């Protein structure tokens, strides 16, 4: 009940009591309340005309880094006796310093600045409205307005810089890049020998082959082009969530961000598919703008559970160009082998980056417990088998113990692509 | 402790004291002691930051003051109790709103302006109530009902006029 309603109720009760008891003295008690109410209304705020701007010291930040928020309110209307401001801070963000609330008197044309510092976990956060409550000093009459001031803060996953990641999809795009294109032309790697054609550089002539024949022969080099890369981030709750509230998803997101950054830096066209309780698709594109788009999508990525997307078999292949590179970032389960092998069978070059769930779980379980050790051994064998089955199907595997930095694991395991990948099988 | 808090405690003590004194004068010791306990409970609730307690306490105090007037206790003490309770309730509300202030806000200005306003309002209320208790006109019941209804309608009209003026 508002203060006005409450006081009015008391006032009317007193008047009714006076009539009921026929005691005029009761009216004396009602007088202070009536004066209070009338004074409140006399000084009630006439109009609320406020100009609000909000400024964030950074619109893109990293987890747990601090961002300063400055809200400036200018009173364009009549003087306001008592104004309460409350800025709508997204609940996941933590206010480190200052306060998003304020109580001030705002004269005509006066300005008030609200400053506070926030930090938070990975995510996309919207600062939407400033809640303003205006009333007289007695708080009898007042109004509450929400002034829309839109600002967005993206807290991106931490970005690990990766060096060259060797991929070799069957089909490349027409632009020059760093991926061997299985076609002769200008490049660095030897590709083959063909008959000399007018215009070939004398340096390209293969004198040894030419000496054995009557005609001249030229060396051909492998063209290097850019490719289409689709990154599939597994956001299924059943693969990412573990006991005691632990989750591997943050690691998967970090890996996806690092891979997207590296592939885009190599000049490839990269798209991102979040496979959770819905399909979050970031259309493939090149360059820094695409990097920003992917990071924004990763900032917003959340795990989810869905009956439809419980298995990887619903990855929509239409989103990825035929024979392109697909990189799946997933802790993997037993059921995931068949859909991944199927994708490989469709002609896609497959790479699976798998944060190791067993090492992750062992990091917080009692390692000295014999039953835990036994269970770990069994599941480790099962996982080893699963990875081997994928490898035998021609899927490139990168198993990542999340206790180690991702860039180091990539550098160690991928400094040289496997033989079958080098030969372009 | 802020000035508002000190004044709130003083108001509650004055209101409770006036009720206790009034009821004690009529040898109603048990209700007087209960009212003293109610005042203490209100103070305790404010200390515990129970925001809703002030409204409940105001109802109790106004009820006790009204009943006191009905049974013929001194009007001055009962009015003083009601005004004390009103002030206590008002300042409890101010203390609650003050929690919205950030450490950098200069709340002393708001506090000072509020005190000035509430002092004038209380003084005016007391003066008018005092005058009303002195001036006594004998009216028939029918006329009193008509006047009360007119006063009610008039008050409603004034409030709606002020609201329109605010818009």
């Amino acid at each position: 009940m508002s203060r006005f309603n409450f006081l009015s109720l008391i006032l009317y009760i007193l008047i009714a009591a006076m009539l009921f008891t026929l005691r005029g003295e009761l009216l004396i008690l009602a007088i202070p309340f009536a004066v209070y109410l009338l004074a409140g209304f006399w000084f009630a705020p006439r109009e609320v005309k406020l100009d609000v701007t909000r400024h964030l010291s950074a619109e893109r930040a990293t987890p747990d880094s601090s961002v300063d928020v400055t809200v400036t309110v200018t009173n364009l209307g009549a003087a306001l006796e008592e104004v309460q401001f409350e800025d709508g801070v997204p609940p996941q963000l933590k206010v480190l310093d200052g306060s998003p609330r304020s109580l001030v008197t705002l004269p005509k044309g006066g300005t008030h600045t609200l400053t506070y510092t926030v930090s938070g976990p990975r995510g996309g956060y919207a600062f939407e409205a400033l809640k303003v409550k205006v009333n007289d000093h007695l708080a009898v009459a007042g109004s509450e307005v929400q002034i829309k001031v839109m600002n967005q803060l993206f807290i991106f996953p931490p970005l690990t810089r990766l060096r060259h990641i060797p991929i070799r999809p069957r089909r490349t795009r027409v632009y020059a890049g760093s991926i061997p294109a299985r076609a002769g032309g200008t490049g660095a790697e030897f590709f083959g020998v063909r008959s000399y054609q007018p215009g070939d550089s004398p340096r390209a002539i293969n004198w040894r082959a030419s000496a054995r024949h009557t005609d001249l022969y030229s060396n051909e080099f492998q063209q290097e082009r850019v490719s289409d890369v689709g990154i599939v981030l597994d956001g299924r709750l059943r693969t990412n969530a573990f006991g005691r509230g632990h989750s591997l998803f943050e690691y998967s997101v970090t890996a996806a961000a690092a891979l997207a950054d590296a592939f885009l830096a190599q000049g490839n066209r990269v798209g991102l598919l979040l496979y959770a309780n819905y399909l979050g698709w970031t259309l493939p594109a090149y360059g820094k703008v695409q990097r920003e788009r992917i990071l924004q999508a990763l900032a917003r990525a959340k795990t989810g559970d869905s009956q439809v997307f419980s298995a990887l078999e619903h990855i929509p292949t239409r989103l990825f160009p035929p024979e392109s590179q697909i990189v799946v970032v997933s802790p993997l389960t037993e059921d995931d082998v068949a859909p991944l092998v199927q994708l490989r069978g469709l002609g896609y070059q497959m790479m699976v980056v798998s944060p190791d769930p067993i090492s992750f779980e062992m990091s917080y379980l009692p390692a000295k417990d014999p039953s835990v050790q036994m269970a770990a051994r069994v599941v480790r064998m099962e996982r080893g088998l699963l990875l081997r089955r994928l490898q035998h199907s021609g899927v490139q595997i990168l198993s990542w113990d999340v206790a180690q930095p991702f860039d180091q694991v990539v550098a160690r395991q991928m400094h040289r692509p496997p033989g079958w990948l080098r030969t372009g099988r | 402790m802020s000035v508002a808090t000190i004044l709130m405690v003083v108001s509650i003590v004055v209101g409770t004291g006036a009720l206790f004194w009034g009821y004690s004068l009529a040898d109603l010791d048990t209700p007087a002691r209960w009212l003293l306990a109610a005042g203490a409970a209100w103070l305790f609730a404010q200390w515990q930051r129970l925001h809703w307690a002030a409204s409940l306490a105001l109802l109790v105090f106004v009820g006790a003051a009204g009943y006191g007037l009905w049974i013929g206790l001194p009007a001055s003490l009962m009015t003083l109790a009601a005004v004390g309770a009103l002030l206590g309730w008002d300042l409890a509300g101010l203390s609650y709103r003050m929690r919205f202030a950030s450490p950098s806000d200069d709340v002393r200005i708001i506090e000072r302006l509020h005190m000035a306003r509430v002092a004038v309002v209380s003084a005016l209320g007391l003066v008018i109530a005092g005058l009303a208790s002195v001036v006594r006109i004998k009216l028939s019941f029918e006329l009193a009902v008509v006047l009360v209804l007119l006063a009610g309608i008039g008050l409603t009209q004034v409030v709606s006029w002020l609201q329109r003026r605010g818009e």
Side-chain angles (χ1 to χ4, degrees):
Chain A
M1 191 188 280
S2 71
R3 284 166 70 87
F4 165 72
N5 288 341
F6 181 65
L7 284 182
S8 303
L9 181 74
I10 290 178
L11 191 63
Y12 284 110
I13 286 174
L14 285 171
I15 293 170
M18 185 200 78
L19 285 173
F20 184 70
T21 59
L22 297 177
R23 296 297 296 259
E25 293 92 332
L26 287 172
L27 200 61
I28 299 169
L29 285 188
I31 288 169
F33 291 92
V35 172
Y36 190 96
L37 270 175
L38 289 175
F41 272 104
W42 183 260
F43 293 104
R46 301 277 168 267
E47 55 175 346
V48 183
K49 244 173 115 178
L50 298 171
D51 178 53
V52 183
T53 55
R54 190 194 288 109
H55 176 259
L56 271 63
S57 64
E59 286 181 348
R60 286 177 288 276
T62 50
D64 300 320
S65 64
S66 28
V67 175
D68 296 328
V69 184
T70 310
V71 183
T72 309
V73 186
T74 309
N75 183 11
L76 303 175
L80 300 169
E81 292 188 338
E82 212 177 283
V83 196
Q84 279 177 32
F85 298 113
E86 190 173 358
D87 199 12
V89 183
Q92 298 90 338
L93 294 180
K94 204 166 77 181
V95 178
L96 296 178
D97 191 28
S99 171
R101 300 193 306 187
S102 190
L103 177 73
V104 288
T105 296
L106 212 53
K108 188 179 179 180
T111 298
H112 178 68
T113 307
L114 206 71
T115 312
Y116 58 95
T117 307
V118 290
S119 80
R122 176 185 61 80
Y125 303 103
F127 290 78
E128 286 178 354
L130 178 76
K131 203 157 86 180
V132 183
K133 200 173 168 188
V134 183
N135 49 257
D136 62 298
H137 281 307
L138 301 180
V140 170
S143 56
E144 200 173 317
V145 285
Q146 297 227 349
I147 301 171
K148 289 238 177 228
V149 200
M150 295 298 290
N151 286 88
Q152 273 203 319
L153 171 66
F154 281 102
I155 299 185
F156 290 152
L159 199 58
T160 315
R161 297 276 173 201
L162 301 176
R163 290 168 74 184
H164 182 76
I165 300 173
I167 52 168
R168 201 161 179 189
R170 287 187 184 168
R171 193 177 290 185
T172 52
R173 297 186 70 78
V174 291
Y175 307 112
S178 61
I179 295 165
R182 300 163 202 262
T186 52
E189 291 278 322
F190 177 74
F191 186 66
V193 179
R194 60 161 169 77
S195 299
Y196 175 82
Q197 283 169 5
D200 279 355
S201 162
R203 296 179 63 161
I205 295 172
N206 188 325
W207 295 107
R208 198 180 287 264
S210 302
R212 291 203 197 100
H213 300 86
T214 50
D215 297 326
L216 286 174
Y217 285 89
S218 297
N219 285 336
E220 212 175 20
F221 297 93
Q222 184 155 225
Q223 283 187 27
E224 288 179 340
R225 294 182 183 167
V226 295
S227 170
D228 277 305
V229 182
I231 298 174
V232 180
L233 173 62
D234 181 3
R236 292 172 298 165
L237 204 60
R238 73 186 189 100
T239 52
N240 286 286
F242 295 90
R244 303 179 197 173
H246 292 85
S247 171
L248 261 180
F249 190 61
E250 286 307 313
Y251 297 101
S252 297
V253 170
T254 308
L259 289 166
D261 180 59
F263 287 131
L264 284 167
Q266 284 172 31
N268 299 305
R269 197 170 79 138
V270 182
L272 173 79
L273 176 72
L274 172 66
Y275 195 88
N277 53 346
Y278 66 97
L279 296 177
W281 178 231
T282 308
L283 288 166
Y286 300 96
K288 285 181 181 169
V289 176
Q290 180 66 358
R291 180 178 172 276
E292 184 73 17
R293 275 196 214 115
I294 287 179
L295 286 177
Q296 285 186 6
L298 287 173
R300 281 190 290 252
K302 282 184 186 136
T303 52
D305 223 355
S306 149
Q307 199 72 13
V308 180
F309 300 120
S310 63
L312 285 182
E313 64 199 13
H314 294 293
I315 291 179
T317 47
R318 279 176 303 162
L319 298 177
F320 307 107
E323 301 187 331
S324 64
Q325 175 77 44
I326 296 180
V327 181
V328 179
V329 184
S330 168
L332 292 177
T333 63
E334 192 62 38
D335 323 335
D336 299 336
V337 176
L340 293 175
V341 172
Q342 199 179 349
L343 283 172
R344 175 79 182 116
L346 286 170
Y348 292 104
Q349 197 67 55
M350 297 296 296
M351 180 194 282
V352 174
V353 175
S354 180
D356 185 359
I358 300 150
S359 314
F360 177 67
E361 267 199 295
M362 286 301 285
S363 66
Y364 61 85
L365 288 175
K368 286 180 182 166
D369 188 336
S371 55
V372 172
Q373 280 181 345
M374 176 60 80
R377 271 186 67 189
V378 171
V379 287
R380 214 164 250 147
M381 280 192 288
E382 280 179 358
R383 182 172 159 84
L385 203 65
L386 184 146
L387 297 181
R388 209 159 300 143
R389 275 166 63 196
L390 283 171
Q391 260 172 341
H392 286 165
S393 311
V395 177
Q396 202 179 349
I397 300 286
L398 191 146
S399 181
W400 173 31
D401 176 359
V402 295
Q404 295 174 25
F406 185 59
D407 52 342
Q408 284 180 22
V409 174
V410 171
R412 199 165 49 243
Q413 292 191 32
M414 290 198 158
H415 71 285
R416 192 170 160 79
W420 58 267
L421 192 65
R422 287 201 305 276
T423 54
R425 193 148 52 101
Chain B
M1 198 184 276
S2 68
V3 183
T5 313
I6 295 166
L7 283 178
M8 178 184 70
V9 172
V10 171
S11 306
I12 295 170
V13 168
V14 166
T16 313
L19 280 177
F20 180 76
W21 192 9
Y23 275 76
S24 297
L25 283 177
D27 291 331
L28 295 166
D29 291 336
T30 312
R33 266 186 242 118
W34 275 111
L35 287 167
L36 207 60
W42 186 3
L43 283 173
F44 179 75
Q46 286 308 133
W47 179 49
Q48 291 294 310
R49 300 188 164 199
L50 300 173
H51 174 58
W52 51 267
S55 300
L56 183 68
L58 180 61
L59 273 178
V60 170
F61 274 53
V62 171
Y67 180 73
L69 280 178
W70 186 41
I71 61 171
L73 298 183
S76 54
L77 285 176
M78 295 303 111
T79 312
L80 190 64
V83 172
L86 178 64
L87 274 174
W89 173 80
D90 172 82
L91 294 169
L94 177 68
S95 299
Y96 177 73
R97 294 200 300 282
M98 290 286 204
R99 288 185 211 167
F100 280 88
S102 73
S104 59
D105 291 340
D106 190 4
V107 288
R108 279 174 306 175
I109 297 174
I110 292 178
E111 214 173 40
R112 196 158 37 84
L113 291 170
H114 185 97
M115 296 302 166
R117 174 79 48 84
V118 90
V120 170
V121 167
S122 310
L124 200 64
L126 274 175
V127 167
I128 299 173
L131 283 174
S133 63
V134 172
V135 179
R136 284 174 184 270
I137 307 162
K138 197 113 179 138
L139 298 171
S140 66
F141 176 68
E142 293 79 8
L143 190 61
V145 169
V146 170
L147 283 175
V148 164
L149 285 176
L150 275 176
I153 293 164
L155 193 67
T156 313
Q157 287 296 315
V158 169
V159 167
S160 44
W161 174 72
L162 286 168
Q163 271 180 327
R164 277 200 304 275
R165 188 169 150 265
E167 286 159 9

